[in-house]
Amino acid sequence: MRSGGLRVIAAKEFRDHIRSRRFHILLAIFLVIAAVGLIDGSIQYNKQIDEYNENLAQASDDEMVPGYFGWKPSILSAFFRMSMLIVTVGVVLGCAMGFDLISREKESKSLKILLSHPVYRDEVINGKALGGIAAIALAMAIVLALSFAILLIFGIVPDLDESVRILLFGGLSFLLIFSYFAISLFMSTVAKDSSNALIYTLIIFIVLSTLIPAIATNESVMNVVIGEPPEFNGPSGPYAVSSSSAASSTGEVVDTSEIDRAWEEYRERSDAYWEKRRAFTDAVNLLSPSYNYQQMAMAVTEPRISIAVQNVGSYSPDIYEDLPESGLAILGSLMGVLVKNIIALLVIPAAFFGLAWVRFMREDIR
């Protein structure tokens, strides 16, 4: 039966991963740093909730100012800080698990022996991928279980809204680690040996995590692609001398309506320019799984901050007045803006796994 080989290979790969020393070391580092971060976050959360309750007792609801200082603290803030850890340690875990999956078999000649058995090639590559995915899922499950345990030890019981968002955070973290696992698996299929596969993986990691975000925000690149920011071309000044006229810095008296019109045109050109810059930055950053993950992790754990980030340039405290209390409801309102990041976070690992699959199926193994 065709699925029999797939099951056997996936089970073997899963056992190899969870028994490997590198998996143990990286998972241990992951757990220690996550535990320390959550313990610190829990202590800070308890202090913040005490201060919030004191402020609530001293002021009526009408006196509470919408905005950061009027928000009820959430333990999800600790998970937001944890997302910065996952961008480094979690990504290294994904790369370390995939870079020698195929190349190691080629170096030891065991791939020829494996393919001499009644097993299809697609079962080999699919089984290796499934074994790695299961190991990554196990690692994330352990991290989430540890997180819930620490919260309960500190007397913090997440409500349904927070529990769902913590699980969403775990799913996003899994996608990020799987993205780099798929990239390293692809490099393992194209490289001649594990050393080259590791180097190629690190190069791609640096390009996607550091170089692309740096290019997307580089001022010189922006000026070449988008152009220079618009300049104000109206009368300089103004120094008002009456309700209907003003004097420029050169002393020339000008009509204030001309100044207002010039400022309005400048504002429109400036808004259009900065909108283009933002569109360019967002488009380039979509190639970076780390950037997409950070955007989504912020929306899940700190939805109000994500609202402020998405409205940068047109920020107003009024945007908080109509926001619902539920973090999930706020997250739902952000989905339209962040759908491109979700798609990119799904497409990139699928694309690299597809490339690895095609490369492995066509490879001449002798």
Side-chain angles (χ1 to χ4, degrees), residues 85-141:
L85 151 77
I86 293 175
V87 167
T88 53
V89 179
V91 165
V92 172
L93 176 64
C95 293
M97 290 175 62
F99 80 92
D100 63 347
L101 276 184
I102 303 296
S103 56
R104 185 184 61 219
E105 299 270 11
K106 288 188 286 189
E107 286 177 292
S108 64
K109 311 296 184 185
S110 60
L111 190 57
K112 289 182 182 178
I113 300 174
L114 176 62
L115 293 176
S116 67
H117 289 77
V119 61
Y120 294 93
R121 279 199 181 198
D122 60 337
E123 289 180 327
V124 175
I125 185 76
N126 291 340
K128 286 182 175 295
L130 286 175
I133 290 171
I136 294 171
L138 175 65
M140 285 311 306

Side-chain angles (χ1 to χ4, degrees), residues 163-235:
S163 298
V164 172
R165 286 195 286 151
I166 290 173
L167 293 177
L168 285 174
F169 172 78
L172 290 171
S173 303
F174 167 81
L175 273 179
L176 176 70
I177 299 173
F178 175 59
S179 296
Y180 284 95
F181 172 79
I183 291 170
S184 60
L185 177 61
F186 171 65
M187 295 304 164
S188 184
T189 59
V190 299
K192 294 181 179 178
D193 51 51
S194 299
S195 300
N196 284 325
L198 179 59
I199 292 172
Y200 297 158
T201 301
L202 291 177
I203 291 173
I204 295 294
F205 168 64
I206 292 171
V207 169
L208 295 181
S209 300
T210 305
L211 189 59
I212 286 179
I215 290 174
T217 55
N218 184 271
E219 193 70 23
S220 300
V221 174
M222 288 287 185
N223 291 339
V224 170
V225 177
I226 309 296
E228 299 282 347
E231 296 181 355
F232 181 67
N233 297 322

Side-chain angles (χ1 to χ4, degrees), residues 10-83:
K12 177 186 178 300
E13 288 299 325
F14 177 71
R15 286 195 300 272
D16 288 347
H17 280 303
I18 62 175
R19 290 174 180 172
S20 70
R21 185 170 297 176
R22 83 176 67 144
F23 181 81
H24 294 162
I25 294 173
L26 287 171
L27 180 60
I29 295 172
F30 204 165
L31 291 175
V32 168
I33 299 178
V36 172
L38 273 175
I39 290 172
D40 180 63
S42 299
I43 294 172
Q44 295 299 323
Y45 170 76
N46 283 330
K47 289 181 181 177
Q48 290 170 356
I49 204 71
D50 289 341
E51 293 174 358
Y52 176 79
N53 289 332
E54 289 177 6
N55 293 334
L56 202 62
Q58 294 173 0
S60 65
D61 292 342
D62 293 338
E63 293 172 327
M64 294 296 289
V65 179
Y68 183 81
F69 296 103
W71 299 342
K72 182 180 178 181
S74 171
I75 189 59
L76 270 295
S77 299
F79 287 87
F80 178 56
R81 289 192 288 272
M82 192 196 297
S83 68

Side-chain angles (χ1 to χ4, degrees), residues 1 29-30 45 73-74 88 98 104 119 141 145 157 164 216 244-245 278 287 306-307 313 318 328 330 335 341:
M1 185 176 179
I29 295 172
F30 204 165
Y45 170 76
S74 171
T88 53
R104 185 184 61 219
V119 61
V157 181
V164 172
S244 58
S245 63
R278 178 170 180 172
L287 298 172
S306 183
I307 288 279
D318 296 339
L328 274 177
I330 302 174
M335 286 298 99
N341 301 103

